[in-house]
Amino acid sequence: MLWSKYYIPTLKEDPAEAEIISHKLLLRAGMIRKLTSGIYIYLPLGWKALQKISDIIRQEMDRFGAIEISMPAVQPGDLWKESGRWEVYGKELLRFKDRHGRDYCFGPTHEEVITDLVRGEIKSYRQLPVNLYQIQTKFRDEIRPRFGLMRGREFIMKDAYSFDRDDQGANKSYEDMYAAYMSIFKRLGLKFRAVEADSGPIGGSFSHEFMVLADTGEDTIAVCTKCDFAANLEKAEVKYAEKEGSPAECPALEKVSTPGKHSVEEVADFLGVPKEKIVKTLLYEADGRPVAVLVRGDRELNEVKLKNLLGALDLRLASFDQVQKWSNAPVGFAGPVGLNVEAIYADQELMFDTDYVVGANEADAHYLHFHLQRDAQIEGFFDLRQITESDPCPRCGGPIELTKGIEVGHIFKLGTKYSEALKATFLDENGKEKPMIMGCYGIGVSRVLAACIEQNHDENGIIFPPPIAPYDALLLALNPKDSTVKEKANEIYEALSAQGIDCLFDDRDERPGVKFKDADLIGLPLQIIVGAKGVKKGVVEIKIRHSGERIEVGLDEIIPRFKEVQKKVWAHYGV
Ligand code: ATP
Ligand code: MG
């Protein structure tokens, strides 16, 4: 492809709207343009990179027995009412009506549509298992679309759905998809990790997320440095080390004045007690019910664990007014003694000690010497807080490290949630009617491109891992007005193309400085630099984008040397 005849609108300046590096670089490298909030146009280079990603996904999905189809983006509201999600999905579901006043939505995911398809065709155990997938545009009206392709409203997803006769079969389908995902992300040349995940609002019994490791990731993952345990922070269970001996003696409750001391830090400083001897009382509204959670002052509550414990669809922190109503005090003084909520849940860790400080449900007052079992009525002790680096691995007791990741894939074992709701049943060997057991498997194709750049860039631009790079190499003719340079560059371009090497040829009449800058910005793994001086000497340079290394090669040995260097670069990415 000739750059002069192509469409690569690179930008010199950082676009003001872009907050993260992948967004900045995708715009600057002329790979995407914004149409409106969270909705992007993919330009040729960006689209080609997305095709590279999609091709690898397709090959591995096919290899593991999934079959490609394509489903509509617009879905009838009736199907969502049948599954029960029309009411509960929330505002991310873009709903609209057609001219007849019938409800529709733009698909954020396709469980309903696929289950409707399959229930119409599959009637017998002989037709199972089946796993169908598509690569298609999704729409989620995200509350804060941001970071370019990372969290768009319209984005490209690969979604697959498996249907099995029994649990054993469903587990096998899940394992196959796990293996397919491992192989997809490895082949893409990305550093990633599969982690245990929460199944979230889609529901189901178990799930894994695939995280591209990058400091800028929105997700935190807990990884054991000794065994293979890795989990999303939302999911990571905490293993409690039980304390030896009985809890300390605990004098009677004593109210003390703590004027204007709201936060744990302020109270701890004021009373001269360590933060771990303070109990935080957090108030929530769970599906309309007022509840409270107790965690140690130096810990963070894990809202996902709380939501799962309560089986709540909607969980939100109490408003100022609710806090005032339920605790009789402004924010910062709520406590478990005499609190006006329906239920109090305590984090397990609080079980092993007594003599805590808690809010007194009165402005500017706290209690000393709080004994949980003695002074409050709680529903019980549960694993409710977030794991930290000082906790042991819940599997092997080894040290835990927290790192950042970007969720690019998610696999769920759904069970019969949708097949029961939508009556997708089959007749088994004995003629008995049973619901199919389902799994669903997503990859954020457009997010993979953003995540790839978050992980692979430097101050000059993108550094594409070769499997994702839109072209294998960039050929630069430094001064195309010089007829020998032009001639040689053309010859090299022809020779590379004849070898099946997909090459972008910067034949523009631009200064070398501009070309070098653009070359690094768009980040193809290899550059072949043809200059007047070199050509006179009978040489060109091959530059490796990720290392910056430049290798001089003779004009008559370009193809074999290029292939040799290319092989080394692929090996660097483990592919
Ligand atoms: P997140 O937690 O990031 O909002 P999710 O868990 O809601 O994502 P899934 O329903 O698991 O997303 O969707 C499958 C995949 O689609 C995700 O793993 C992610 O890679 C991608 N994805 C989800 N939402 C978006 C979005 N708004 N923009 C781009 N990709 C997305
Ligand atoms: Mg997810």
Side-chain angles (χ1 to χ4, degrees):
M1 176 57 69
L2 303 184
W3 192 311
S4 64
K5 305 239 159 28
Y6 209 28
Y7 194 85
I8 315 178
T10 56
L11 306 174
K12 286 197 184 65
E13 306 294 327
D14 274 346
E17 74 203 74
E19 293 163 74
I20 60 166
I21 196 76
S22 60
H23 189 191
K24 239 178 239 175
L25 291 176
L26 280 164
L27 287 167
R28 280 196 52 206
M31 297 204 180
I32 60 166
R33 283 296 177 264
K34 177 166 133 180
L35 178 62
T36 182
S37 170
I39 303 184
Y40 290 87
I41 298 166
Y42 306 110
L43 299 183
L45 278 186
W47 183 242
K48 202 149 185 269
L50 289 170
Q51 295 311 314
K52 291 270 183 124
I53 296 168
S54 304
D55 286 348
I56 289 179
I57 294 176
R58 272 198 187 94
Q59 286 162 16
E60 294 304 308
M61 292 301 289
D62 294 351
R63 192 159 77 85
F64 282 88
I67 305 161
E68 187 171 7
I69 59 169
S70 180
M71 288 181 271
V74 172
Q75 308 183 4
D78 283 347
L79 274 181
W80 285 71
K81 289 173 191 165
E82 215 181 323
S83 75
R85 282 208 290 185
W86 187 255
E87 304 305 330
V88 300
Y89 204 90
K91 291 195 171 155
E92 266 125 64
L93 186 63
L94 180 65
R95 297 155 221 248
F96 51 92
K97 288 188 191 291
D98 71 359
R99 62 169 77 203
H100 306 292
R102 285 188 286 253
D103 285 321
Y104 284 88
C105 64
F106 198 109
T109 174
H110 276 69
E111 283 80 9
E112 280 78 2
V113 174
I114 194 90
T115 311
D116 180 55
L117 174 80
V118 166
R119 72 177 166 182
E121 321 288 344
I122 293 188
K123 306 285 180 198
S124 155
Y125 70 94
R126 286 191 205 90
Q127 296 164 285
L128 294 172
V130 63
N131 184 342
L132 300 171
Y133 80 96
Q134 63 174 345
I135 296 180
Q136 184 254 14
T137 300
K138 298 279 184 275
F139 193 93
R140 294 183 181 180
D141 203 355
E142 300 271 355
I143 184 165
R144 281 224 298 149
R146 65 206 144 125
F147 306 152
L149 299 190
M150 199 66 92
R151 185 169 296 284
R153 293 200 294 166
E154 191 176 297
F155 59 97
I156 304 173
M157 197 200 283
K158 186 285 299 174
D159 45 331
Y161 306 87
S162 64
F163 296 83
D164 275 275
R165 305 147 54 160
D166 51 27
D167 229 31
Q168 205 185 344
N171 291 350
K172 168 81 170 64
S173 295
Y174 187 91
E175 280 160 25
D176 281 348
M177 286 297 102
Y178 185 97
Y181 276 41
M182 291 300 282
S183 158
I184 288 166
F185 294 112
K186 183 164 189 308
R187 282 191 58 195
L188 288 171
L190 298 170
K191 289 191 260 319
F192 73 98
R193 187 97 204 211
V195 307
E196 294 171 27
D198 183 67
S199 1
I202 292 189
S205 35
F206 57 88
S207 88
H208 283 88
E209 283 164 347
F210 291 76
M211 298 281 186
V212 164
L213 305 176
D215 296 338
T216 48
E218 268 188 326
D219 282 278
T220 303
I221 56 187
V223 182
C224 177
T225 54
K226 244 172 91 184
C227 73
D228 60 6
F229 171 80
N232 191 314
L233 188 68
E234 293 179 349
K235 163 84 178 174
E237 70 245 58
V238 175
K239 191 171 176 180
Y240 292 90
E242 288 197 30
K243 277 194 184 167
E244 295 289 320
S246 52
E249 284 291 301
C250 187
L253 274 182
E254 179 191 340
K255 197 186 282 178
V256 291
S257 162
T258 50
K261 309 296 174 201
H262 305 263
S263 68
V264 170
E265 285 75 22
E266 286 166 347
V267 176
D269 273 359
F270 184 74
L271 296 174
V273 295
K275 285 202 287 190
E276 61 257 34
K277 293 301 284 185
I278 293 180
V279 172
K280 277 196 280 203
T281 304
L282 304 164
L283 303 179
Y284 280 87
E285 190 185 43
D287 293 336
R289 287 171 63 223
V291 298
V293 203
L294 310 179
V295 288
R296 236 169 65 173
D298 58 333
R299 303 301 195 190
E300 292 303 324
L301 171 72
N302 182 328
E303 286 192 357
V304 173
K305 288 182 181 175
L306 178 63
K307 205 169 169 185
N308 289 342
L309 173 70
L310 300 174
L313 291 172
D314 183 51
L315 181 76
R316 52 185 82 178
L317 206 56
S319 65
F320 288 125
D321 287 350
Q322 285 170 322
V323 172
Q324 182 74 45
K325 205 163 125 203
W326 302 339
S327 74
N328 267 322
V331 172
F333 300 97
V337 186
L339 188 64
N340 195 13
V341 293
E342 279 186 24
I344 302 177
Y345 302 87
D347 181 60
Q348 241 180 110
E349 196 175 23
L350 295 171
M351 188 154 53
F352 307 115
D353 209 350
T354 63
D355 205 354
Y356 291 109
V357 174
V358 293
N361 295 323
E362 186 180 313
D364 301 335
H366 279 80
Y367 281 121
L368 303 181
H369 314 310
F370 173 73
H371 185 305
L372 229 164
Q373 285 94 331
R374 182 190 69 192
D375 301 322
Q377 272 260 308
I378 58 164
E379 302 299 309
F381 294 96
F382 306 92
D383 174 15
L384 286 171
R385 73 163 167 92
Q386 263 166 18
I387 198 168
T388 67
E389 287 191 333
S390 57
D391 287 306
C393 166
R395 298 290 142 73
C396 77
I400 286 288
E401 259 177 20
L402 299 182
T403 54
K404 291 285 181 192
I406 300 166
E407 181 196 324
V408 287
H410 198 165
I411 59 178
F412 300 86
K413 188 176 164 204
L414 286 172
T416 55
K417 183 178 159 118
Y418 296 95
S419 50
E420 276 180 18
L422 293 162
K423 303 194 181 55
T425 58
F426 67 99
L427 295 179
D428 75 2
E429 296 95 317
N430 307 314
K432 205 171 155 235
E433 191 177 355
K434 284 186 174 159
M436 297 172 209
I437 312 213
M438 290 174 60
C440 73
Y441 317 94
I443 293 181
V445 178
S446 44
R447 186 183 283 180
V448 169
L449 178 56
C452 152
I453 295 171
E454 288 298 323
Q455 188 179 76
N456 300 282
H457 67 267
D458 64 11
E459 63 285 2
N460 299 320
I462 301 170
I463 306 175
F464 272 117
I468 300 178
Y471 288 90
D472 295 328
L474 178 68
L475 175 67
L476 293 90
L478 288 191
N479 15 22
K481 281 200 180 131
D482 177 323
S483 62
T484 37
V485 168
K486 191 173 175 192
E487 196 181 310
K488 280 296 156 205
N490 274 330
E491 272 175 38
I492 296 168
Y493 180 61
E494 295 299 329
L496 289 166
S497 303
Q499 293 288 319
I501 296 160
D502 197 13
C503 188
L504 179 62
F505 179 11
D506 190 351
D507 60 335
R508 292 174 302 168
D509 186 13
E510 285 282 1
R511 282 179 293 114
V514 171
K515 293 195 170 189
F516 285 136
K517 272 217 155 66
D518 277 349
D520 279 357
L521 177 62
I522 68 168
L524 300 180
L526 291 165
Q527 299 168 15
I528 302 162
I529 304 160
V530 187
K533 260 193 244 152
V535 169
K536 235 179 250 157
K537 264 179 30 192
V539 296
V540 298
E541 268 185 342
I542 299 179
K543 178 179 160 184
I544 302 176
R545 175 67 179 93
H546 78 79
S547 63
E549 195 186 341
R550 284 160 174 265
I551 303 151
E552 215 176 67
V553 304
L555 280 171
D556 53 349
E557 52 165 13
I558 291 178
I559 298 292
R561 292 299 301 279
F562 177 85
K563 286 187 172 168
E564 188 187 302
V565 178
Q566 191 182 35
K567 216 166 146 190
K568 265 200 342 214
V569 174
W570 279 74
H572 171 79
Y573 290 90
V575 278

